[in-house]
Amino acid sequence: MEAAVGDARQRLEERSLAPLRRTGPLYYGLILALLLVIAWGAYVYFYQAQEGLIVTGMRDRLSWGLYISLFVFFIGASMAGTFVSAILRITQAGWRKPVTRSAEMVTVAALVVAALFVTFDIGRPDRLLFLIIYGRWESPLIWDIYGLSTYLVGSLIYLYAALIPDLAFVRDRLGDSVPALKRWFWDAFSLGWTGTPSQHRYLSIILVTMMILMVPVAVMMHTVTSWIFAMTLREPWDSPLFGIYFVGGAIFSGTGIIIILMAVLRKVQHLEEFITEKHFSYLGYLMAAFALIMIFFNANEFVTHAYKLRGHIALHLQETFVGTLAPYFWTYFWGGLILPVVIVALPFTRNVAGLVVAAVLVNIGMFLERYLIVVGGMHLPLNPYPVPTYTPTWVEWSLMAAGASVFVLIIAVMVKLVPSMAVWEMLEEPAGEGDLGEAQPQRAARTARGGVQ
Amino acid sequence: MAKRILLTAAATLLLALLSPAAALAQQPIPQLVLGVQPSSPVGNPMVVAGYLLDPAGNPISGQTVAFSTEAEFMNTLGSFEIGQAVTDDRGLAYVQYVPKEVGTSTITARFAGNDVFAPLTTSSPLEVTEGKATYKQERPFRIPGADVRLVVVLLSGVWSLYLLVTVLFWLISRAGDRPPREAGGPQ
């Protein structure tokens, strides 16, 4: 048994270090493709800054469109990362260890991209500064800035704290065999970690503090984002459910993104032994549970709105169910909510491929749901005018592609700098837990990792 | 020679800075006569009007006048825009307003100025009396503690913990037993 565990550890070390040691041509091809899309996005952004937001499909009567839908979508994606990671750590779920790193990376990348889409939506970039200079604290937009910055910094701290032992592990294992810049990065950011009892104590305090803190901060962030809508005088957004609706939706779509990322990393980095079907199944159950919660929220919202039919709600429901927005709504409902639950529920589709399909469907559905919230809410005329129409232009699609490329690029760079799984946590796991075998003392882990306890 | 160039540059800069202010000072100041009844019952629609006239008393048409009043939200007093209207041939701009709070408030009309006339703001008091409105908001409506201080306290709490964590990072860097000479190289 000891020998088997030792072999498993050896393979874990090799598998987690291999992507940091070698880079194939496919990776460079991916980076090049991403940079090309981002460069195109930069050109389009300057074009938009020069010509004004008139080059988008947005107009005075429908002033929020694809950018704000994507902002909400990526804010949602960021939720699951830190939230799921923190909840799994707090509950000491043994299966969390190969999952948490992916989740935390998604959070950081998604928050950066979410902030980008706000910048795109503002139009003139100098107006970002106005939010700070002239922003009034009574406005939910300003609360969102407080929330976003607090959440981003907290997520970075949380991600970084959990990385320190792994950075030291990489530093000690790869040493001189990598370029000087990478060596410097690992050396500087591992903070001289050698796994002394004091260092473990301090790290433990940081992780406990942050995991407890990040749950309310993440909930606050998403609730405040929902208030941008719920506190605006537009009937479709007039719902006290919006806060919890956004939090639920965020965990739902974010879990889907984690599943997709884990599947890609598992395949590309050959981590099948460590990221097993069990991990996908557990995340699939979480996703299915939140799909049911979302169905409940939607039913609750539509039934109460439809019963009262206040103001223009009849027009809103008509547009949503049978009007111009109906294709989006029914795709979201059947494809993004019902079908993923069916995939998770059926034993023969509950496998890695099936769950990745479900996760993709969930994210397409949730993007459409964000679009329905933003554009659907703006759809109702406040004055006796016809219903405004909105179609995103090539400028908006280009910046959407650029934003998504930035998201992938951040993660692609991260997986070349740090292990894709929390290796130190996996090496520390007590007897009978996890995927490294049945029994092994922690001392073995220390020995295996040359001082990292 | 250099001194002369510097002096010329300084004089040009001063002129450039002063010229907009000088141009503004030369613009004639129009008249903005605010037509607001001195008192109105709460909940009753009323008209807030303003006449925009040139210094000679002739109407200025086609210009936007913005009307506002003060409003309080969560213990913070600010300006609340009632609406904007464009002056007609008589120089008249007007909007409808429904006062919702009993008490004294101020109605303000503002003309932002144009190429010819300087900007101007005029105010007039409005006494809002008890009425038959079905909805009345007593002033001030306050939830104790629900103001900017609450936000500051909450955010300070979170950021203080971030600061504490940063200190712990520093302590981690001090608590290692790795010889300094080995830093950067393999162990």
Side-chain angles (χ1 to χ4, degrees), chain B residues 33-50:
Chain B
V33 183
L34 192 54
V36 179
Q37 58 199 74
S39 77
S40 173
V42 69
N44 272 23
M46 58 178 280
V47 171
V48 177

Side-chain angles (χ1 to χ4, degrees), chain A residues 325-371:
Chain A
L325 300 173
Y328 305 124
F329 176 76
W330 293 113
T331 309
Y332 153 67
F333 183 76
W334 289 108
L337 294 177
I338 304 293
L339 198 53
V341 174
V342 173
I343 291 173
V344 175
L346 295 175
F348 59 91
T349 50
R350 200 189 312 129
N351 48 41
V352 177
L355 290 169
V356 169
V357 170
V360 170
L361 285 172
V362 162
N363 276 287
I364 292 171
M366 285 310 290
F367 167 69
L368 292 175
E369 192 256 4
R370 307 313 196 189
Y371 188 84

Side-chain angles (χ1 to χ4, degrees), chain A residues 232-264:
Chain A
T232 303
L233 289 170
R234 280 186 178 269
E235 280 148 2
W237 299 337
D238 190 12
S239 166
L241 264 182
F242 252 45
I244 190 159
Y245 185 39
F246 268 52
V247 171
I251 298 175
F252 181 45
S253 64
T255 308
I257 292 186
I258 295 171
I259 288 177
I260 297 168
L261 176 62
M262 276 174 46
V264 172

Side-chain angles (χ1 to χ4, degrees), chain A residues 365-440:
Chain A
M366 285 310 290
F367 167 69
L368 292 175
E369 192 256 4
R370 307 313 196 189
Y371 188 84
L372 280 168
I373 290 176
V374 176
V375 177
M378 281 268 165
H379 217 55
L380 293 189
L382 293 178
N383 285 309
Y385 296 135
V387 175
T389 54
Y390 168 71
T391 310
T393 63
W394 65 272
V395 171
E396 288 161 284
W397 291 121
S398 299
L399 289 177
M400 174 181 169
S405 300
V406 171
F407 178 77
V408 178
L409 182 69
I410 291 172
I411 290 178
V413 170
M414 282 169 111
V415 298
K416 282 288 165 192
L417 289 175
V418 297
S420 306
M421 298 179 295
V423 177
W424 69 284
E425 286 192 280
M426 293 173 75
L427 288 170
E428 265 187 359
E429 63 197 14
E433 272 189 27
D435 310 293
L436 289 183
E438 290 303 312
Q440 64 336 78

Side-chain angles (χ1 to χ4, degrees), chain A residues 136-138, chain B residues 67-82 97 101 104-108 139 142:
Chain A
R136 294 174 61 111
W137 78 269
E138 297 96 326
Chain B
F67 299 94
S68 61
T69 184
E70 75 267 31
E72 190 178 283
F73 177 68
M74 294 179 84
N75 304 350
T76 305
L77 196 65
S79 174
F80 164 77
E81 187 172 287
I82 298 169
Y97 173 52
E101 292 175 21
T104 306
S105 62
T106 305
I107 302 289
T108 301
R139 182 193 269 189
R142 284 182 180 165

